[in-house]
Amino acid sequence: LELWVGFQVFSLGAVVTVCFRLDLVSGMFRMRPEKQAEMEGWKQQLEEVGKERDEHSETIRKLKQEIKDTVDGQRILEKKGSSALKDLKRQLQLERKRADKLQERLQEILTNSKTRTGTHT
């Protein structure tokens, strides 16, 4: 005794009719031979699409990581540049103070020199 069972499956944008033969004595399902070949073709296509999806996912993951690395690199460069600028400003301020002190010292020396020269005459 056999019973044919059929149903439709929507896969990869197409409707596929799947038919099985049920052997009522053994309880085994068997697909019609012509549908078996069609089903194998759909399975192969599905596997290929799955592989492509995995490849695309990996490419997306790599690109996201590359973007993250680039952004992180830019932040590091900005911090280094900011730090270098602060350091240069600090050095400039110290040099200005040093120059002011030297100017004061020079003025002091010149004033003392005039005073000594004026007293000797």
Side-chain angles (χ1 to χ4, degrees):
L1 292 168
E2 293 181 343
L3 174 67
W4 285 98
V5 179
F7 56 93
Q8 292 184 332
V9 178
F10 184 75
S11 176
L12 300 173
V15 176
V16 178
T17 302
V18 180
C19 294
F20 291 96
R21 182 179 73 191
L22 174 60
D23 185 330
L24 296 174
V25 176
S26 67
M28 301 280 295
F29 279 101
R30 292 196 184 110
M31 193 178 290
R32 283 187 181 173
E34 66 273 9
K35 293 296 180 179
Q36 181 69 34
E38 186 179 340
M39 184 63 78
E40 289 302 320
W42 285 109
K43 281 183 186 178
Q44 187 176 357
Q45 269 191 317
L46 188 58
E47 286 176 13
E48 289 172 9
V49 168
K51 286 178 186 176
E52 286 179 16
R53 183 199 64 225
D54 292 345
E55 290 170 3
H56 292 155
S57 295
E58 181 62 17
T59 300
I60 289 169
R61 186 195 65 75
K62 286 179 182 177
L63 289 172
K64 283 181 178 180
Q65 185 62 44
E66 190 176 322
I67 290 169
K68 182 186 177 300
D69 293 346
T70 301
V71 169
D72 290 347
Q74 286 176 338
R75 282 189 189 136
I76 290 169
L77 288 175
E78 287 172 4
K79 285 181 182 179
K80 284 182 180 179
S82 176
S83 177
L85 180 61
K86 285 179 184 177
D87 189 45
L88 287 172
K89 284 181 178 180
R90 185 182 57 75
Q91 287 179 17
L92 177 61
Q93 185 137 7
L94 290 173
E95 287 300 317
R96 283 184 178 159
K97 284 182 182 178
R98 184 173 168 265
D100 288 345
K101 285 182 182 178
L102 287 172
Q103 184 69 33
E104 287 174 15
R105 181 72 178 131
L106 180 61
Q107 192 65 37
E108 210 175 275
I109 291 170
L110 289 174
T111 303
N112 287 342
S113 176
K114 284 182 186 177
T115 312
R116 283 188 203 150
T117 339
T119 51
H120 286 19
T121 30

